[in-house]
PDB file of all heavy atoms in Angstrom:
ATOM      1  N   TYR A  74      58.123 138.854-266.065  1.00 92.00           N
ATOM      2  CA  TYR A  74      59.182 139.681-265.467  1.00 92.00           C
ATOM      3  C   TYR A  74      60.038 138.862-264.506  1.00 92.00           C
ATOM      4  O   TYR A  74      61.264 138.965-264.509  1.00 92.00           O
ATOM      5  CB  TYR A  74      58.558 140.885-264.757  1.00 92.00           C
ATOM      6  CG  TYR A  74      59.556 141.838-264.177  1.00 92.00           C
ATOM      7  CD1 TYR A  74      60.423 142.564-264.991  1.00 92.00           C
ATOM      8  CD2 TYR A  74      59.643 142.027-262.802  1.00 92.00           C
ATOM      9  CE1 TYR A  74      61.345 143.448-264.455  1.00 92.00           C
ATOM     10  CE2 TYR A  74      60.554 142.909-262.257  1.00 92.00           C
ATOM     11  CZ  TYR A  74      61.405 143.616-263.081  1.00 92.00           C
ATOM     12  OH  TYR A  74      62.308 144.488-262.548  1.00 92.00           O
ATOM     13  N   GLY A  75      59.414 138.034-263.678  1.00 92.00           N
ATOM     14  CA  GLY A  75      60.165 137.174-262.760  1.00 92.00           C
ATOM     15  C   GLY A  75      61.044 136.181-263.509  1.00 92.00           C
ATOM     16  O   GLY A  75      62.175 135.904-263.096  1.00 92.00           O
ATOM     17  N   SER A  76      60.548 135.650-264.615  1.00 92.00           N
ATOM     18  CA  SER A  76      61.357 134.726-265.427  1.00 92.00           C
ATOM     19  C   SER A  76      62.559 135.432-266.029  1.00 92.00           C
ATOM     20  O   SER A  76      63.663 134.873-266.071  1.00 92.00           O
ATOM     21  CB  SER A  76      60.515 134.128-266.554  1.00 92.00           C
ATOM     22  OG  SER A  76      59.366 133.552-266.072  1.00 92.00           O
ATOM     23  N   LEU A  77      62.335 136.651-266.510  1.00 90.00           N
ATOM     24  CA  LEU A  77      63.457 137.421-267.057  1.00 90.00           C
ATOM     25  C   LEU A  77      64.498 137.718-265.978  1.00 90.00           C
ATOM     26  O   LEU A  77      65.706 137.640-266.241  1.00 90.00           O
ATOM     27  CB  LEU A  77      62.959 138.730-267.667  1.00 90.00           C
ATOM     28  CG  LEU A  77      62.243 138.622-269.005  1.00 90.00           C
ATOM     29  CD1 LEU A  77      61.669 139.976-269.396  1.00 90.00           C
ATOM     30  CD2 LEU A  77      63.185 138.117-270.073  1.00 90.00           C
ATOM     31  N   LEU A  78      64.052 138.053-264.799  1.00 88.00           N
ATOM     32  CA  LEU A  78      64.998 138.336-263.717  1.00 88.00           C
ATOM     33  C   LEU A  78      65.806 137.100-263.352  1.00 88.00           C
ATOM     34  O   LEU A  78      66.989 137.197-263.017  1.00 88.00           O
ATOM     35  CB  LEU A  78      64.266 138.843-262.475  1.00 88.00           C
ATOM     36  CG  LEU A  78      63.644 140.233-262.555  1.00 88.00           C
ATOM     37  CD1 LEU A  78      62.935 140.568-261.255  1.00 88.00           C
ATOM     38  CD2 LEU A  78      64.679 141.285-262.873  1.00 88.00           C
ATOM     39  N   CYS A  79      65.184 135.933-263.399  1.00 88.00           N
ATOM     40  CA  CYS A  79      65.876 134.691-263.023  1.00 88.00           C
ATOM     41  C   CYS A  79      66.843 134.199-264.091  1.00 88.00           C
ATOM     42  O   CYS A  79      67.887 133.637-263.766  1.00 88.00           O
ATOM     43  CB  CYS A  79      64.861 133.583-262.753  1.00 88.00           C
ATOM     44  SG  CYS A  79      64.083 133.704-261.158  1.00 88.00           S
ATOM     45  N   THR A  80      66.500 134.387-265.346  1.00 88.00           N
ATOM     46  CA  THR A  80      67.255 133.718-266.409  1.00 88.00           C
ATOM     47  C   THR A  80      68.243 134.596-267.155  1.00 88.00           C
ATOM     48  O   THR A  80      69.145 134.062-267.802  1.00 88.00           O
ATOM     49  CB  THR A  80      66.278 133.123-267.444  1.00 88.00           C
ATOM     50  OG1 THR A  80      65.485 134.178-268.003  1.00 88.00           O
ATOM     51  CG2 THR A  80      65.385 132.084-266.814  1.00 88.00           C
ATOM     52  N   GLN A  81      68.130 135.889-267.082  1.00 85.00           N
ATOM     53  CA  GLN A  81      68.956 136.741-267.938  1.00 85.00           C
ATOM     54  C   GLN A  81      70.287 137.152-267.331  1.00 85.00           C
ATOM     55  O   GLN A  81      71.154 137.630-268.051  1.00 85.00           O
ATOM     56  CB  GLN A  81      68.167 137.998-268.340  1.00 85.00           C
ATOM     57  CG  GLN A  81      66.938 137.698-269.156  1.00 85.00           C
ATOM     58  CD  GLN A  81      67.270 137.023-270.472  1.00 85.00           C
ATOM     59  OE1 GLN A  81      68.187 137.433-271.171  1.00 85.00           O
ATOM     60  NE2 GLN A  81      66.540 135.969-270.795  1.00 85.00           N
ATOM     61  N   PHE A  82      70.479 136.971-266.042  1.00 81.00           N
ATOM     62  CA  PHE A  82      71.699 137.443-265.394  1.00 81.00           C
ATOM     63  C   PHE A  82      72.312 136.340-264.540  1.00 81.00           C
ATOM     64  O   PHE A  82      71.612 135.467-264.037  1.00 81.00           O
ATOM     65  CB  PHE A  82      71.401 138.667-264.518  1.00 81.00           C
ATOM     66  CG  PHE A  82      70.857 139.835-265.296  1.00 81.00           C
ATOM     67  CD1 PHE A  82      69.497 140.069-265.355  1.00 81.00           C
ATOM     68  CD2 PHE A  82      71.711 140.675-265.977  1.00 81.00           C
ATOM     69  CE1 PHE A  82      68.995 141.131-266.075  1.00 81.00           C
ATOM     70  CE2 PHE A  82      71.223 141.743-266.704  1.00 81.00           C
ATOM     71  CZ  PHE A  82      69.864 141.975-266.752  1.00 81.00           C
ATOM     72  N   GLU A  83      73.634 136.400-264.379  1.00 81.00           N
ATOM     73  CA  GLU A  83      74.316 135.415-263.540  1.00 81.00           C
ATOM     74  C   GLU A  83      74.003 135.632-262.063  1.00 81.00           C
ATOM     75  O   GLU A  83      73.846 134.683-261.307  1.00 81.00           O
ATOM     76  CB  GLU A  83      75.834 135.507-263.751  1.00 81.00           C
ATOM     77  CG  GLU A  83      76.285 134.957-265.073  1.00 81.00           C
ATOM     78  CD  GLU A  83      77.791 135.023-265.209  1.00 81.00           C
ATOM     79  OE1 GLU A  83      78.489 135.050-264.183  1.00 81.00           O
ATOM     80  OE2 GLU A  83      78.261 135.049-266.348  1.00 81.00           O
ATOM     81  N   ASP A  84      73.938 136.882-261.635  1.00 80.00           N
ATOM     82  CA  ASP A  84      73.628 137.208-260.250  1.00 80.00           C
ATOM     83  C   ASP A  84      72.288 137.944-260.223  1.00 80.00           C
ATOM     84  O   ASP A  84      72.234 139.171-260.161  1.00 80.00           O
ATOM     85  CB  ASP A  84      74.741 138.087-259.659  1.00 80.00           C
ATOM     86  CG  ASP A  84      74.555 138.312-258.177  1.00 80.00           C
ATOM     87  OD1 ASP A  84      73.903 137.480-257.531  1.00 80.00           O
ATOM     88  OD2 ASP A  84      75.057 139.335-257.678  1.00 80.00           O
ATOM     89  N   PRO A  85      71.154 137.204-260.262  1.00 80.00           N
ATOM     90  CA  PRO A  85      69.849 137.866-260.374  1.00 80.00           C
ATOM     91  C   PRO A  85      69.383 138.464-259.050  1.00 80.00           C
ATOM     92  O   PRO A  85      69.903 138.144-257.983  1.00 80.00           O
ATOM     93  CB  PRO A  85      68.916 136.720-260.794  1.00 80.00           C
ATOM     94  CG  PRO A  85      69.536 135.513-260.202  1.00 80.00           C
ATOM     95  CD  PRO A  85      71.032 135.750-260.252  1.00 80.00           C
ATOM     96  N   ALA A  86      68.420 139.310-259.148  1.00 83.00           N
ATOM     97  CA  ALA A  86      67.743 139.849-257.971  1.00 83.00           C
ATOM     98  C   ALA A  86      66.719 138.803-257.554  1.00 83.00           C
ATOM     99  O   ALA A  86      65.564 138.828-257.958  1.00 83.00           O
ATOM    100  CB  ALA A  86      67.080 141.177-258.290  1.00 83.00           C
ATOM    101  N   LEU A  87      67.196 137.847-256.757  1.00 87.00           N
ATOM    102  CA  LEU A  87      66.408 136.655-256.463  1.00 87.00           C
ATOM    103  C   LEU A  87      65.133 136.961-255.675  1.00 87.00           C
ATOM    104  O   LEU A  87      64.085 136.370-255.932  1.00 87.00           O
ATOM    105  CB  LEU A  87      67.267 135.645-255.712  1.00 87.00           C
ATOM    106  CG  LEU A  87      66.745 134.221-255.693  1.00 87.00           C
ATOM    107  CD1 LEU A  87      66.537 133.699-257.096  1.00 87.00           C
ATOM    108  CD2 LEU A  87      67.700 133.333-254.935  1.00 87.00           C
ATOM    109  N   ALA A  88      65.187 137.875-254.733  1.00 86.00           N
ATOM    110  CA  ALA A  88      64.000 138.202-253.942  1.00 86.00           C
ATOM    111  C   ALA A  88      62.903 138.792-254.830  1.00 86.00           C
ATOM    112  O   ALA A  88      61.727 138.411-254.724  1.00 86.00           O
ATOM    113  CB  ALA A  88      64.359 139.167-252.821  1.00 86.00           C
ATOM    114  N   ALA A  89      63.274 139.706-255.701  1.00 88.00           N
ATOM    115  CA  ALA A  89      62.288 140.307-256.604  1.00 88.00           C
ATOM    116  C   ALA A  89      61.760 139.277-257.590  1.00 88.00           C
ATOM    117  O   ALA A  89      60.564 139.263-257.912  1.00 88.00           O
ATOM    118  CB  ALA A  89      62.914 141.480-257.355  1.00 88.00           C
ATOM    119  N   ALA A  90      62.637 138.393-258.081  1.00 90.00           N
ATOM    120  CA  ALA A  90      62.206 137.369-259.032  1.00 90.00           C
ATOM    121  C   ALA A  90      61.223 136.397-258.395  1.00 90.00           C
ATOM    122  O   ALA A  90      60.181 136.077-258.981  1.00 90.00           O
ATOM    123  CB  ALA A  90      63.419 136.617-259.571  1.00 90.00           C
ATOM    124  N   LEU A  91      61.523 135.937-257.180  1.00 92.00           N
ATOM    125  CA  LEU A  91      60.607 135.011-256.499  1.00 92.00           C
ATOM    126  C   LEU A  91      59.285 135.683-256.152  1.00 92.00           C
ATOM    127  O   LEU A  91      58.222 135.078-256.282  1.00 92.00           O
ATOM    128  CB  LEU A  91      61.261 134.453-255.240  1.00 92.00           C
ATOM    129  CG  LEU A  91      62.394 133.449-255.475  1.00 92.00           C
ATOM    130  CD1 LEU A  91      63.008 133.037-254.146  1.00 92.00           C
ATOM    131  CD2 LEU A  91      61.887 132.236-256.219  1.00 92.00           C
ATOM    132  N   PHE A  92      59.341 136.925-255.728  1.00 91.00           N
ATOM    133  CA  PHE A  92      58.122 137.671-255.430  1.00 91.00           C
ATOM    134  C   PHE A  92      57.238 137.761-256.676  1.00 91.00           C
ATOM    135  O   PHE A  92      56.029 137.493-256.617  1.00 91.00           O
ATOM    136  CB  PHE A  92      58.476 139.069-254.914  1.00 91.00           C
ATOM    137  CG  PHE A  92      57.285 139.935-254.649  1.00 91.00           C
ATOM    138  CD1 PHE A  92      56.552 139.767-253.482  1.00 91.00           C
ATOM    139  CD2 PHE A  92      56.899 140.901-255.548  1.00 91.00           C
ATOM    140  CE1 PHE A  92      55.444 140.565-253.229  1.00 91.00           C
ATOM    141  CE2 PHE A  92      55.801 141.699-255.306  1.00 91.00           C
ATOM    142  CZ  PHE A  92      55.074 141.532-254.144  1.00 91.00           C
ATOM    143  N   CYS A  93      57.838 138.123-257.795  1.00 92.00           N
ATOM    144  CA  CYS A  93      57.071 138.249-259.040  1.00 92.00           C
ATOM    145  C   CYS A  93      56.522 136.900-259.506  1.00 92.00           C
ATOM    146  O   CYS A  93      55.374 136.814-259.941  1.00 92.00           O
ATOM    147  CB  CYS A  93      57.941 138.863-260.139  1.00 92.00           C
ATOM    148  SG  CYS A  93      58.322 140.585-259.869  1.00 92.00           S
ATOM    149  N   LEU A  94      57.333 135.855-259.412  1.00 94.00           N
ATOM    150  CA  LEU A  94      56.880 134.535-259.852  1.00 94.00           C
ATOM    151  C   LEU A  94      55.760 133.986-258.975  1.00 94.00           C
ATOM    152  O   LEU A  94      54.767 133.449-259.477  1.00 94.00           O
ATOM    153  CB  LEU A  94      58.057 133.563-259.883  1.00 94.00           C
ATOM    154  CG  LEU A  94      59.066 133.767-260.997  1.00 94.00           C
ATOM    155  CD1 LEU A  94      60.264 132.851-260.808  1.00 94.00           C
ATOM    156  CD2 LEU A  94      58.427 133.525-262.352  1.00 94.00           C
ATOM    157  N   ILE A  95      55.893 134.120-257.672  1.00 94.00           N
ATOM    158  CA  ILE A  95      54.882 133.563-256.768  1.00 94.00           C
ATOM    159  C   ILE A  95      53.573 134.341-256.867  1.00 94.00           C
ATOM    160  O   ILE A  95      52.506 133.757-257.092  1.00 94.00           O
ATOM    161  CB  ILE A  95      55.400 133.537-255.314  1.00 94.00           C
ATOM    162  CG1 ILE A  95      56.509 132.497-255.187  1.00 94.00           C
ATOM    163  CG2 ILE A  95      54.277 133.232-254.341  1.00 94.00           C
ATOM    164  CD1 ILE A  95      57.244 132.532-253.866  1.00 94.00           C
ATOM    165  N   LEU A  96      53.639 135.656-256.725  1.00 92.00           N
ATOM    166  CA  LEU A  96      52.405 136.433-256.799  1.00 92.00           C
ATOM    167  C   LEU A  96      51.816 136.420-258.205  1.00 92.00           C
ATOM    168  O   LEU A  96      50.587 136.404-258.362  1.00 92.00           O
ATOM    169  CB  LEU A  96      52.645 137.865-256.329  1.00 92.00           C
ATOM    170  CG  LEU A  96      51.910 138.236-255.057  1.00 92.00           C
ATOM    171  CD1 LEU A  96      52.263 137.309-253.924  1.00 92.00           C
ATOM    172  CD2 LEU A  96      52.105 139.650-254.695  1.00 92.00           C
ATOM    173  N   GLY A  97      52.653 136.406-259.216  1.00 94.00           N
ATOM    174  CA  GLY A  97      52.149 136.331-260.591  1.00 94.00           C
ATOM    175  C   GLY A  97      51.411 135.031-260.859  1.00 94.00           C
ATOM    176  O   GLY A  97      50.350 135.025-261.485  1.00 94.00           O
ATOM    177  N   SER A  98      51.961 133.915-260.372  1.00 95.00           N
ATOM    178  CA  SER A  98      51.273 132.636-260.593  1.00 95.00           C
ATOM    179  C   SER A  98      49.979 132.554-259.802  1.00 95.00           C
ATOM    180  O   SER A  98      48.986 132.002-260.279  1.00 95.00           O
ATOM    181  CB  SER A  98      52.196 131.478-260.239  1.00 95.00           C
ATOM    182  OG  SER A  98      52.552 131.528-258.879  1.00 95.00           O
ATOM    183  N   ILE A  99      49.940 133.124-258.597  1.00 92.00           N
ATOM    184  CA  ILE A  99      48.691 133.139-257.822  1.00 92.00           C
ATOM    185  C   ILE A  99      47.641 133.993-258.526  1.00 92.00           C
ATOM    186  O   ILE A  99      46.494 133.581-258.684  1.00 92.00           O
ATOM    187  CB  ILE A  99      48.950 133.644-256.390  1.00 92.00           C
ATOM    188  CG1 ILE A  99      49.755 132.612-255.606  1.00 92.00           C
ATOM    189  CG2 ILE A  99      47.638 133.942-255.676  1.00 92.00           C
ATOM    190  CD1 ILE A  99      50.233 133.105-254.257  1.00 92.00           C
TER     191      ILE A  99
END
Side-chain angles (χ1 to χ4, degrees):
Y74 183 65
S76 307
L77 286 173
L78 290 179
C79 282
T80 60
Q81 297 298 315
F82 299 97
E83 287 182 24
D84 187 24
L87 197 57
L91 288 177
F92 177 79
C93 290
L94 288 173
I95 291 171
L96 246 57
S98 62
I99 290 171

